[in-house]
Amino acid sequence: MPIEIYNAGKYYGDFKALDNVNINVQAGTIHGLIGINGSGKTTLIKALVGIHHIDEGEIKILGEPVYENVNIKSKIGYVADRNRFFKSYTIDALIKFYKGMYPSFMETKFDEYNHKMKLNKKKRVNALSKGMQMRLSVMLNLARNPEVLILDEPTSGLDVVAKRDILNFIIQDVEERGMSVLISSHHLAELEMLCDEITMLSSGKMLYQSTVTDIKEKIKKMQVVFKIPLKEGTINELRQLDIILDVSNIGSVYYIVTNNIEQAIEKLKGLDVVLIENIPMSIEEIFIYTNLDKEWEHEDINKI
Amino acid sequence: MKTLIKYEIKTNLPIILIFMVGAALFGGTLFYDSMNAYNSYVRLGTSSYMVIDMVSIILHLAFYCSAILTMVMVFFQFKQVKNDDISEFILSLPVTTKTIIISKMMVGIGTILIVNTMATIFFILTWVKTNFWISDARALRFAGEIESQYDTIPAIITMVLIYTLNIILVYLFLVMMQFVIKRAGASVTVSLLGALSIPYILVFVAQLFKNSGLGNLIQDITTRFIKTFTFYNVNTAIYQEETFMGFISYRKMGIRELILVFGILFCITTIFYMNKKVGFTEFRSFCYSKRCDILLKMGVTICSLIAPFYIAYIWSIQNYYIYMPISAIGGYLVINRFIIKDRESGV
């Protein structure tokens, strides 16, 4: 497996930024990393590309520990969430720098991408807009032909056309070369389309790792109508249940989100239910519901 | 490594150029002074003139300029890798942190060596150019023969060599301190103040024990310290006996050189140890550890405690010791606030 993370833990002073994170990414797949701000995504990514070392557990890329491992680091592409280049360099100078650092760098491949992206190679990095810098970062990293590509918020600041092009470049490399990708993003709809699997982090802990279909199978939203509208006390009782993520209502129609559909239906049958209907949910909605209850999300990932 | 070295040179090019211009200026000054000497009193044979004496004075002046430039160079070398967004880019490159630090040190020490070699060439050219008439002038003087024994090309080379060791030690000390203090700028400042604090404290302690033998001993240690590390007041005659040339002539190794070489080796060892332990980014607090923060606070408090002694000396204030506790508390509060503020602002 190209990316293996076992019981990873990382401290910043007394603060535990990562806590017992376990992720495996299959070869030739795109893996999404989601979580609210401060959930530990960037910390994990920095450890994955060898910027930080972790205090607990193990991180392996292509079967080897990554920190201070020159051979492995040369096989990892890293697109950071904002410009991390030498600001005074021109694109040409950066290409030269990349050629010096990475023998696998192909200028012809960069030029192919640039044919679409149309970046002026004589321009300095600090004269480029945020979106242009992101395009440049993706192009430089893909032109290196990395075996593993790690991207932190790669589509932030990009217009829709550039976003589509960039994602197409990545997909093309995954299909043609079997490159493995780990991508963190707040654009969940985008990840839903792109990713084979998704891992969700919250407060440094891993909530789940699963395929998009599995997550959608496990977390369901039901539209429920009862014979007699529920009392506040009953609603609160439902909310207390481990299997219930959220209960809301519009008039007499209740919307119940659960991580265990069978048990939830059993429970609802005892409350004189008239109608139960499944409502399809996007990954974004699932993300919102799973982040609603902090106490719940910290307990046990197997609940999902 | 080659690409990293190129990057380091590119980043530090303005400083490297200033260093080179400085070497040319100091070398030119020597040449100009030597020619002036020829045009005035030396020809008359009434006074002595030694190129090595001028080299000693010039290097003494150059030491302070080079020390300041070295501080600026270290700041620029570490600013990006420690404080900026760029640090992540550099640290994600397929190189170890050891390679990064080695490439930085190669450029830093390389600059010092190249510049000092340039200066040495200037000095030797001046000696060669002026030797014929200086020799003539010495022939007329009673002490001319002794002077000609001191004023030699090997003596000039040795002097520049020791001066180079001094500057390299300053550079490596500053680099070492980059692994102790989190921020590049703060590290350079603390290093400078930390180095100055040693004679600052020693002079006070010597004054405290001035009526006993201990006072004289501390005074002697302070003078030795300043002379060893700042290329201060190098006397040509004494120098000849204490240096490598002295070693060759008298089979006696100079203590100054031993201390400098030991200091350089200590700094290099510590740099690699700290690089492994802390790296560029694994700082837990203002310093690399909370214990080190406490040490820094203690140091600042002690220096603040002594401050009224120096103020009283300048303005002739009596009973300065009354103000010492207030000064110490003030110093502690300032450094404590500074560290807390830095901790809150994060990396």
Side-chain angles (χ1 to χ4, degrees):
Chain A
M1 246 175 289
I3 301 176
E4 298 161 272
I5 304 168
Y6 302 110
N7 309 319
K10 170 81 187 164
Y11 288 89
Y12 289 122
D14 299 327
F15 175 69
K16 197 165 191 181
L18 285 179
D19 187 4
N20 200 28
V21 175
N22 291 277
I23 300 175
N24 286 308
V25 178
Q26 305 284 335
T29 61
I30 301 179
H31 193 101
L33 192 61
I34 57 174
I36 54 170
N37 292 333
S39 58
K41 297 188 301 293
T42 302
T43 302
L44 182 64
I45 283 176
K46 283 179 186 174
L48 276 170
V49 297
I51 293 170
H52 291 324
H53 67 83
I54 48 170
D55 301 311
E56 294 165 355
E58 198 178 15
I59 287 183
K60 282 183 176 179
I61 302 278
L62 302 165
E64 286 180 45
V66 65
Y67 188 70
E68 295 282 60
N69 188 332
V70 175
N71 179 40
I72 292 301
K73 278 169 101 176
S74 68
K75 293 173 182 170
I76 306 171
Y78 171 48
V79 178
D81 55 344
R82 57 201 155 106
N83 167 38
R84 312 278 191 198
F85 296 121
F86 307 129
K87 287 166 184 151
S88 59
Y89 272 43
T90 60
I91 295 178
D92 262 335
L94 257 183
I95 290 171
K96 218 173 159 190
F97 182 83
Y98 262 73
K99 275 160 96 176
M101 284 317 290
Y102 302 97
S104 60
F105 186 88
M106 289 167 67
E107 197 170 350
T108 46
K109 193 172 177 185
F110 180 90
D111 289 338
E112 272 173 39
Y113 292 136
N114 202 27
H115 186 67
K116 269 200 164 182
M117 291 301 178
K118 295 182 175 53
L119 296 180
N120 182 353
K121 283 161 89 175
K122 302 283 170 222
K123 258 193 169 182
R124 284 182 189 277
V125 172
N126 56 5
L128 300 174
S129 69
K130 193 190 169 197
M132 281 175 167
Q133 287 177 12
M134 189 55 84
R135 285 181 223 189
L136 174 66
S137 180
V138 174
M139 284 153 60
L140 284 168
N141 277 287
L142 286 176
R144 284 172 42 205
N145 294 317
E147 288 182 40
V148 174
L149 181 66
I150 292 165
L151 308 102
D152 193 2
E153 302 285 346
T155 51
S156 61
L158 292 183
D159 59 69
V160 280
V161 180
K163 198 185 288 185
R164 187 201 60 197
D165 287 339
I166 289 282
L167 293 178
N168 281 342
F169 291 158
I170 295 168
I171 292 167
Q172 194 185 332
D173 259 40
V174 172
E175 284 173 354
E176 286 174 5
R177 298 192 300 109
M179 179 178 74
S180 308
V181 179
L182 187 131
I183 180 169
S184 126
S185 178
H186 286 301
H187 300 279
L188 302 182
E190 197 176 274
L191 287 188
E192 190 175 350
M193 286 191 315
L194 199 68
C195 296
D196 301 291
E197 273 197 309
I198 282 180
T199 293
M200 187 186 207
L201 290 181
S202 179
S203 304
K205 296 183 181 183
M206 199 181 95
L207 286 186
Y208 53 78
Q209 176 183 350
S210 198
T211 62
V212 177
T213 325
D214 277 355
I215 292 169
K216 284 187 168 181
E217 272 303 306
K218 282 170 187 166
I219 298 184
K220 295 278 188 186
K221 189 176 188 180
M222 297 177 289
Q223 184 173 264
V224 184
V225 179
F226 297 95
K227 198 174 260 179
I228 306 157
L230 295 180
K231 290 178 182 163
E232 197 58 40
T234 318
I235 294 173
N236 284 338
E237 267 176 40
L238 279 176
R239 283 184 177 138
Q240 296 303 315
L241 293 173
D242 281 352
I243 52 165
I244 303 296
L245 302 182
D246 189 51
V247 181
S248 60
N249 68 301
I250 300 170
S252 59
V253 180
Y254 289 82
Y255 297 94
I256 298 171
V257 183
T258 176
N259 55 37
N260 191 325
I261 187 85
E262 290 83 15
Q263 278 187 35
I265 289 172
E266 279 303 309
K267 182 76 192 170
L268 294 175
K269 275 179 182 170
L271 295 172
D272 231 355
V273 70
V274 178
L275 171 84
I276 300 178
E277 198 176 32
N278 268 340
I279 300 174
M281 272 205 298
S282 67
I283 205 81
E284 195 160 323
E285 276 181 288
I286 292 173
F287 177 78
I288 291 165
Y289 284 119
T290 47
N291 275 286
L292 277 178
D293 187 353
K294 292 285 163 201
E295 280 177 16
W296 168 80
E297 72 184 28
H298 287 177
E299 281 169 14
D300 186 3
I301 60 163
N302 296 323
K303 279 178 185 171
I304 299 174
Chain B
M1 177 78 105
K2 213 172 101 186
T3 315
L4 270 184
I5 289 173
K6 273 186 198 165
Y7 157 72
E8 282 296 328
I9 292 171
K10 205 170 175 180
T11 313
N12 289 288
L13 198 60
I15 306 292
I16 294 170
L17 289 176
I18 294 171
F19 256 120
M20 286 179 172
V21 169
L25 276 176
F26 281 113
T29 306
L30 177 74
F31 190 78
Y32 177 78
D33 276 355
S34 302
M35 294 317 284
N36 260 1
Y38 171 64
N39 291 330
S40 56
Y41 55 88
V42 173
R43 248 164 78 174
L44 304 170
T46 53
S47 180
S48 68
Y49 184 85
M50 291 201 283
V51 175
I52 195 162
D53 266 350
M54 281 304 291
V55 169
S56 165
I57 293 164
I58 280 171
L59 289 182
H60 174 56
L61 290 172
F63 174 81
Y64 296 102
C65 301
S66 298
I68 292 165
L69 271 179
T70 307
M71 282 177 209
V72 178
M73 182 162 74
V74 171
F75 171 71
F76 279 110
Q77 279 196 314
F78 283 86
K79 185 176 156 256
Q80 292 194 326
V81 78
K82 286 180 83 180
N83 294 351
D84 280 357
D85 292 341
I86 301 160
S87 69
E88 290 182 12
F89 172 59
I90 296 170
L91 295 175
S92 70
L93 294 170
V95 284
T96 59
T97 48
K98 198 176 173 182
T99 312
I100 296 173
I101 189 69
I102 288 173
S103 63
K104 283 184 188 298
M105 291 199 309
M106 277 173 80
V107 172
I109 294 173
T111 305
I112 293 166
L113 289 177
I114 290 169
V115 166
N116 289 350
T117 308
M118 266 176 67
T120 312
I121 293 166
F122 267 108
F123 297 157
I124 292 171
L125 280 177
T126 307
W127 189 92
V128 171
K129 187 89 180 154
T130 55
N131 186 254
F132 73 97
W133 57 260
I134 288 178
S135 298
D136 286 351
R138 277 180 193 149
L140 302 171
R141 284 173 49 76
F142 182 69
E145 200 182 329
I146 300 167
E147 284 171 12
S148 64
Q149 282 172 16
Y150 291 147
D151 197 15
T152 60
I153 290 177
I156 291 173
I157 293 172
T158 310
M159 194 174 271
V160 180
L161 195 75
I162 306 307
Y163 166 80
T164 308
L165 285 178
N166 259 296
I167 296 295
I168 289 175
L169 182 62
V170 169
Y171 173 78
L172 290 173
F173 172 70
L174 291 166
V175 172
M176 182 183 79
M177 288 299 286
Q178 289 293 332
F179 291 93
V180 177
I181 311 274
K182 184 169 70 182
R183 297 188 190 279
S187 171
V188 171
T189 314
V190 171
S191 308
L192 172 68
L193 296 176
L196 291 177
S197 73
I198 297 169
Y200 174 88
I201 293 169
L202 284 176
V203 166
F204 172 74
V205 176
Q207 185 66 20
L208 218 61
F209 298 102
K210 65 180 172 187
N211 296 324
S212 67
L214 190 65
N216 290 335
L217 179 71
I218 296 167
Q219 191 95 47
D220 190 45
I221 292 170
T222 313
T223 315
R224 275 264 165 201
F225 177 86
I226 296 169
K227 277 187 177 178
T228 305
F229 294 106
T230 63
F231 210 77
Y232 175 78
N233 197 23
V234 176
N235 179 297
T236 313
I238 294 169
Y239 199 78
Q240 195 75 353
E241 288 170 16
E242 284 190 349
T243 60
F244 287 131
M245 280 312 294
F247 174 68
I248 293 161
S249 310
Y250 308 101
R251 299 283 180 268
K252 194 175 93 180
M253 176 68 91
I255 293 169
R256 175 197 291 250
E257 290 73 49
L258 274 177
I259 292 171
L260 289 177
V261 171
F262 175 77
I264 286 169
L265 291 176
F266 171 77
C267 286
I268 291 174
T269 316
T270 312
I271 286 166
F272 287 124
Y273 171 75
M274 291 297 282
N275 176 52
K276 210 170 177 186
K277 200 180 172 202
V278 190
F280 294 108
T281 52
E282 301 287 322
F283 288 82
R284 301 264 173 193
S285 193
F286 180 78
C287 301
Y288 77 92
S289 72
K290 283 187 178 168
R291 266 185 212 166
C292 192
D293 274 6
I294 294 167
L295 275 176
L296 179 67
K297 283 181 198 174
M298 280 169 62
V300 172
T301 308
I302 291 167
C303 288
S304 307
L305 182 87
I306 296 169
F309 162 75
Y310 287 97
I311 295 168
Y313 184 78
I314 296 164
W315 286 312
S316 309
I317 299 168
Q318 297 293 311
N319 301 329
Y320 63 85
Y321 47 84
I322 299 166
Y323 305 104
M324 289 172 89
I326 303 161
S327 174
I329 293 167
Y332 172 78
L333 290 175
V334 168
I335 188 67
N336 193 44
R337 180 83 200 117
F338 191 77
I339 289 173
I340 289 170
K341 227 175 161 187
D342 184 80
R343 224 181 273 166
E344 284 168 354
S345 68
V347 181

